[in-house]
């Protein structure tokens, strides 16, 4: 079973691209969605103990948690030590089920793939990219987004140029949805062809 790692900087169209893989029958594990679910489930008591005052109505209040960890590397490290192992467990369960269901290809949607050393957990890396002006226009059109916040997010991410260099495949979403969808199909065909030659 080939594990595709999908990544890309903020505003590059990664979620839309993941949907294109899913539409072709590829099971998708979304790391962000997994964290959201953990913040409403298994991680709640652990985070509540480590960061008092962050649990509201039985779930992690992300705003309160952010206030405690942003700009505090020690607190961020403590949070990662709680969340990352749980995400890995969920990921492994997803992979085991996909294997049992007989899938030959799965997609791991991991926004911080390079930042967390996630490329070791996948067989192929697909990077979603677009020109900087397109990226900027997309991100700044989001509710509650400011130029300062956008720049702060970019500072935490491996630069797009570096991601491009480390990719096995690129999908340029700046060329439009149709072109991106065709590229997804081409990539899957190439990956499946490689599998049959093994």
């Amino acid at each position: 079973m080939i594990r595709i790692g999908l990544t890309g900087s903020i505003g590059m169209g990664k979620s839309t691209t993941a949907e294109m893989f899913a539409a072709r029958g590829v099971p998708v594990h979304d790391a962000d969605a997994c964290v959201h679910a953990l913040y409403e489930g298994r991680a709640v008591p652990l985070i509540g103990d480590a960061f008092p005052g962050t649990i509201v109505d039985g779930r992690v209040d992300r705003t309160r948690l952010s206030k405690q960890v942003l700009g505090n590397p020690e607190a961020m490290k403590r949070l990662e030590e709680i969340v990352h192992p749980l995400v890995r467990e969920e990921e492994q369960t997803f992979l085991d089920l996909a294997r049992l269901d007989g899938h030959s290809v799965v997609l791991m949607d991991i926004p911080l793939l390079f930042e967390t050393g996630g490329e070791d957990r996948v067989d192929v890396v697909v990077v979603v990219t677009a020109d900087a002006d397109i990226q900027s226009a997309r991100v700044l059109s989001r509710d509650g987004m400011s130029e300062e916040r956008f720049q702060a997010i970019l500072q935490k991410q491996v630069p797009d140029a570096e991601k491009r260099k480390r990719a096995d495949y690129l999908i340029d979403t700046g060329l439009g949805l149709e072109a991106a969808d065709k590229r997804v199909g081409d990539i899957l065909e190439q990956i499946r062809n490689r599998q049959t030659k093994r």
Side-chain angles (χ1 to χ4, degrees), residues 1-6 18 21-22 25-29 91-109 121-126 188 191-192 195:
M1 190 171 74
I2 299 282
R3 298 163 301 171
I4 301 171
L6 180 73
F21 279 94
V26 177
V28 174
H29 183 267
E91 200 174 89
Q92 193 54 55
T93 301
F94 162 82
L95 291 170
D96 293 344
L97 288 172
R99 204 171 270 116
L100 278 173
D101 287 342
H103 289 283
S104 58
V105 179
V106 295
L107 185 84
M108 319 290 284
D109 178 349
R121 306 199 313 276
V122 298
D123 304 300
V124 173
V125 174
V126 175
L188 279 173
I191 288 170
R192 290 193 165 119
Q195 271 180 317

Side-chain angles (χ1 to χ4, degrees), residues 65-135:
L65 182 62
S66 292
K67 284 178 183 163
Q68 291 198 33
V69 300
L70 282 181
N72 183 339
E74 207 172 281
M76 184 60 86
K77 186 170 185 288
R78 198 173 346 136
L79 178 62
E80 287 170 353
E81 283 167 357
I82 294 169
V83 176
H84 287 180
L86 295 175
V87 172
R88 299 282 185 286
E89 280 176 33
E90 299 284 337
E91 200 174 89
Q92 193 54 55
T93 301
F94 162 82
L95 291 170
D96 293 344
L97 288 172
R99 204 171 270 116
L100 278 173
D101 287 342
H103 289 283
S104 58
V105 179
V106 295
L107 185 84
M108 319 290 284
D109 178 349
I110 309 175
L112 300 176
L113 180 83
F114 294 122
E115 292 83 350
T116 59
E119 63 263 56
D120 298 339
R121 306 199 313 276
V122 298
D123 304 300
V124 173
V125 174
V126 175
V127 168
V128 180
T129 187
D131 288 344
D133 56 340
I134 294 173
Q135 176 193 24

Side-chain angles (χ1 to χ4, degrees), residues 11 16 22 25 28 32 38-39 43 55 63 65 70 73 98 102 117 145-146 190:
T16 304
V28 174
D32 269 357
L38 288 168
Y39 278 13
I55 308 303
T63 306
L65 182 62
L70 282 181
M145 185 58 70
S146 64
Q190 288 176 44

